[in-house]
C-alpha cells in the first residue's frame, strides 16, 4: 500500500509560497498545487499540472534513474519510489524560485529503505508551457549521487 509520500501539506505549501514573496505567481501556484496533490496521493489530479508528454530526469545509476517520457512513466516512478520505501519517501519543500517559464524548488528528500536513511538536500527544476500552464520538463539534482545510487539500488 502506498502511504503519504510527501510532507507538503496545504499549510506547508502555502508557507513556502508565502516565503517566495510571489504567492500569486502562476508558476508558484502550479508547483504548490502539484506538491499538495502529490502529498495527498492525488496522482490523477497531477494531470491538471503536468503535460502528457512531460520529460522527467532522475539522476544516478540505479533502477529509478534516467529519462522518463510521459505522464504515465512519471506516475509509475512515483508509485515505485513509494513502494520500495514502504511509503516513507517524501519531499520537504523549502523555497520556490521562479520566473514565468522556469522554477527551482529547493528541497530535502527523505525516506527509509532496507536499513538506510535518506536525508538529502537537492533541487528540482521545472519548465512550464505557458500556453497550457503545465509542466513539460522536470530535473532532479541531489547532493550525494553515490549515496542516492546505493539507496535506490538496495
Amino acid at each position: 500500500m502506498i502511504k503519504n509520500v510527501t510532507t507538503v501539506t496545504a499549510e506547508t505549501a502555502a508557507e513556502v509560497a508565502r516565503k517566495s514573496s510571489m504567492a500569486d505567481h502562476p508558476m508558484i501556484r502550479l508547483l504548490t498545487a502539484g506538491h499538495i496533490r502529490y502529498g495527498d496521493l492525488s496522482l490523477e489530479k497531477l494531470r491538471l499540472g503536468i503535460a502528457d508528454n512531460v520529460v522527467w530526469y532522475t539522476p544516478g545509476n540505479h533502477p529509478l534513474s534516467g529519462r522518463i517520457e510521459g505522464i504515465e512513466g512519471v506516475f509509475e516512478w512515483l508509485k515505485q519510489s513509494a513502494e520500495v520505501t514502504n511509503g516513507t519517501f517524501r519531499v520537504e519543500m523549502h523555497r520556490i524560485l521562479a520566473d514565468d517559464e522556469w522554477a527551482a524548488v529547493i528541497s530535502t528528500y527523505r525516506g527509509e529503505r532496507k536499513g538506510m536513511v535518506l536525508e538529502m538536500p537537492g533541487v528540482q527544476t521545472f519548465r512550464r508551457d505557458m500556453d497550457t500552464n503545465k509542466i513539460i520538463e522536470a530535473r532532479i539534482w541531489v547532493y550525494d549521487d553515490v549515496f542516492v545510487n546505493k539507496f535506490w539500488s538496495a
Side-chain angles (χ1 to χ4, degrees):
M1 172 174 219
I2 299 175
K3 301 173 188 171
N4 189 333
V5 292
T6 183
T7 59
V8 176
T9 64
E11 293 78 24
T12 59
E15 178 67 12
V16 169
R18 184 192 63 73
K19 286 180 181 177
S20 77
S21 75
M22 298 173 50
D24 289 332
H25 191 280
M27 185 61 123
I28 302 288
R29 284 195 315 263
L30 178 64
L31 293 175
T32 301
H35 277 78
I36 291 169
R37 290 174 185 137
Y38 173 58
D40 291 343
L41 297 175
S42 302
L43 296 184
E44 286 303 313
K45 288 184 181 177
L46 284 172
R47 289 184 191 279
L48 298 172
I50 300 175
D52 289 341
N53 63 342
V54 67
V55 180
W56 194 281
Y57 298 90
T58 300
N61 185 18
H62 55 79
L64 294 177
S65 65
R67 177 184 167 119
I68 301 166
E69 296 190 28
I71 196 165
E72 296 304 326
V74 171
F75 286 173
E76 184 60 29
W77 185 93
L78 293 171
K79 289 175 187 175
Q80 287 180 5
S81 67
E83 287 172 6
V84 301
T85 63
N86 268 344
T88 64
F89 181 68
R90 58 201 183 275
V91 179
E92 182 181 335
M93 284 185 357
H94 303 296
R95 296 283 188 279
I96 302 173
L97 311 164
D99 65 15
D100 290 339
E101 185 179 10
W102 288 93
V105 178
I106 301 167
S107 303
T108 300
Y109 303 97
R110 300 180 193 278
E112 296 179 22
R113 181 168 195 223
K114 297 186 178 180
M116 289 183 286
V117 176
L118 175 71
E119 188 170 337
M120 183 71 55
V123 173
Q124 189 166 12
T125 59
F126 296 91
R127 185 163 61 107
R128 176 176 76 107
D129 179 311
M130 292 183 286
D131 293 330
T132 64
N133 194 38
K134 290 189 174 188
I135 298 301
I136 56 175
E137 180 181 322
R139 294 177 184 261
I140 301 169
W141 282 273
V142 293
Y143 174 74
D144 184 349
D145 285 332
V146 173
F147 181 78
V148 168
N149 287 336
K150 182 178 174 184
F151 181 83
W152 291 115
S153 295

